[in-house]
């Protein structure tokens, strides 16, 4: 149980609010606001964790967020992309417009961690009853952005510009035939009449608490869904020669698809993953079926090679099936495009974060293959996305439960680092630098 050795300490770790960190990067007034909001940030997070809601069902979460933003005297819009919330803080001085984003939805995962505020929520997903858990840290994202809103609203008269707070639903994937939260918010004019010059977001990640990781260029992969239907010819299991076996063909296709990333694409210029996660075929042990259905995911980092990659996938599937006399129907459905941080914009954000956290706590890193629909905001507005570490002290990244795991664990004091980073980056853009 090396991945979860620290979970037994959870009750002790969560018994107290996040501890205060000492950094020279903020004015005394901002530092005072940070210290005052920390206990509430932890309370909000625990409440959201204990009451998670699936994509486009974030009604309770949105109500709490909207009430908080209204209490800060912001202009608030609700119902953006069904359950999204947008708050606008107008500073006391003229200046640029920026946006800060947090995602709100939980996952169909049954929590296994032994926390005093563990989720016992149940719901329905894809026609099945499921447990619901914030297994990706979105509860912390919401609480951090609510805390940031409190700190920034307290300095309203000193703010030189406007800050848009975007609380997004449905990051964890679009419903069948619909749009995910980021794309739908953009389609519904999330920014209104304002035109932000930059947008920023963060994500909980199983790395060292007290650190953030900022990666220039491609940071997270594009992610699309792959659906394959193999059609053969049904026959008796004792007479395979009398038909065409789609089960054998499907196994050949699964193997052939692995040659796309390993033999057909440039492994350095365009890292690719093709994974088949579901295969269904047949109803009886001695009948070779007519069809087999497969579903999988395609991950890629280089947007420029996307169409070539898909052409190779389609060709590999079709020709492998044809070699056995079968046919293959292939559908690729876009889920998310790569998250790409513009180097110049990231360099400025990194400098601000270093001022607040110190050089050693702002790390570089390598791209990862999970996806994030923050990328669609980056299409509309230059944007920077970064990770903040959530591991308990002494737990290495390799030993921590990954995102989407039923034992995903957030060391609550780490949230303060995410808050400080987001505040430093925001204040750098709206005329009140962290070291003012």
């Amino acid at each position: 149980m090396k991945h979860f050795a620290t979970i037994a300490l959870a009750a002790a770790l969560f018994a107290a609010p996040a501890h205060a960190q000492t950094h020279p990067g903020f004015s005394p007034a901002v530092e005072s606001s940070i210290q005052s909001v920390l206990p509430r940030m932890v309370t909000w997070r625990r409440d959201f964790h204990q009451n998670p809601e699936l994509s486009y069902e974030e009604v309770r979460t949105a109500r709490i967020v909207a009430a908080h933003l209204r209490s800060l005297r912001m202009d608030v819009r609700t119902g953006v992309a069904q359950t999204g919330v947008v708050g606008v803080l107008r500073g006391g001085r003229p200046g640029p417009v920026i946006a800060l984003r947090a995602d709100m939805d939980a996952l169909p995962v049954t929590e296994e961690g032994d926390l005093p505020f563990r989720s016992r929520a149940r719901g329905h997903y894809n026609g099945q009853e499921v447990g619901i858990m914030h297994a990706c840290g979105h509860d912390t994202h919401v609480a951090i952005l609510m805390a940031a809103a409190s700190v920034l609203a307290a300095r309203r008269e000193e703010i030189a510009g406007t800050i848009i707070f975007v609380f997004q639903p449905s990051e964890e994937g679009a419903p069948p035939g619909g749009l995910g939260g980021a794309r739908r918010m953009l389609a519904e004019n999330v920014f209104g009449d304002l035109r932000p010059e930059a947008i920023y977001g963060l994500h909980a990640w199983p790395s060292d608490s007290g650190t953030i990781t900022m990666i220039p260029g491609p940071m997270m992969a594009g992610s699309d869904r792959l659906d394959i239907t193999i059609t053969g010819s049904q026959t008796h299991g004792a007479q395979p020669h009398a038909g065409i076996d789609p089960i054998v063909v499907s196994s050949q296709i699964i193997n052939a698809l692995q040659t796309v990333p390993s033999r057909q694409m440039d492994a350095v210029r365009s890292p690719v993953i093709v994974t088949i996660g579901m295969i269904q075929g047949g109803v009886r042990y001695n009948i070779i079926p007519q069809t087999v259905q497969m579903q999988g995911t395609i991950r890629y980092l280089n947007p420029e090679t996307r169409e070539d990659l898909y052409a190779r996938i389609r060709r590999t599937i079709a020709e492998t099936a044809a070699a056995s006399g079968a046919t293959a129907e292939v559908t690729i459905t876009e889920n998310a495009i790569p998250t790409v941080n513009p180097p110049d914009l990231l360099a400025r954000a990194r400098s601000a974060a270093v001022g607040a956290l110190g050089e050693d706590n702002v790390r570089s890193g390598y791209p990862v293959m999970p996806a994030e629909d923050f990328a669609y905001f980056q299409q509309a507005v230059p944007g920077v996305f970064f990770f903040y570490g959530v591991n308990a002290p002494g737990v290495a990244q390799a030993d921590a439960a990954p995102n989407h795991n039923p034992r995903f664990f957030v060391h609550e004091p780490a949230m303060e680092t995410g808050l400080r980073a987001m505040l430093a980056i925001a204040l750098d853009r709206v005329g009140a630098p962290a070291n003012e």
Side-chain angles (χ1 to χ4, degrees), residues 46-204:
R46 294 181 182 186
D47 179 64
F48 295 139
H49 190 88
Q50 198 164 24
N51 298 280
E53 296 169 300
L54 294 172
S55 298
Y56 290 131
E57 297 178 9
E58 309 94 332
V59 176
R60 180 183 183 275
T61 305
R63 184 171 63 247
I64 293 170
V65 168
H68 176 63
L69 298 183
R70 290 190 181 105
S71 76
L72 301 176
R73 296 183 293 114
M74 291 191 194
D75 298 329
V76 178
R77 293 166 58 203
T78 60
V80 184
Q82 190 167 316
T83 47
V85 180
V86 180
V88 177
L89 174 63
R90 302 180 189 277
R93 297 185 289 168
V97 178
I98 65 169
L100 308 177
R101 173 268 201 175
D103 40 8
M104 301 188 293
D105 53 331
L107 286 158
V109 173
T110 301
E111 185 163 7
E112 295 179 2
D114 185 19
L115 302 177
F117 52 90
R118 65 176 291 185
S119 169
R120 291 177 170 80
R122 306 288 295 178
H124 290 86
Y125 182 79
N126 280 347
Q128 300 182 47
E129 184 177 351
V130 295
I132 306 174
M133 176 191 175
H134 272 295
C136 207
H138 295 189
D139 51 339
T140 73
H141 305 169
V142 177
I144 287 171
L145 194 55
M146 290 173 68
S150 294
V151 174
L152 293 167
R155 317 310 306 167
R156 176 184 272 102
E157 296 307 315
E158 301 166 18
I159 297 289
T162 300
I163 306 171
I164 307 171
F165 295 85
V166 178
F167 291 85
Q168 178 202 314
S170 187
E171 187 279 327
E172 294 293 355
L179 296 177
R183 296 176 76 183
R184 187 168 170 183
M185 290 193 99
L186 288 164
E188 296 183 16
N189 196 23
V190 58
F191 302 125
D193 295 332
L194 298 171
R195 291 295 174 264
E197 66 175 33
I199 186 169
Y200 301 92
L202 85 176
H203 204 295

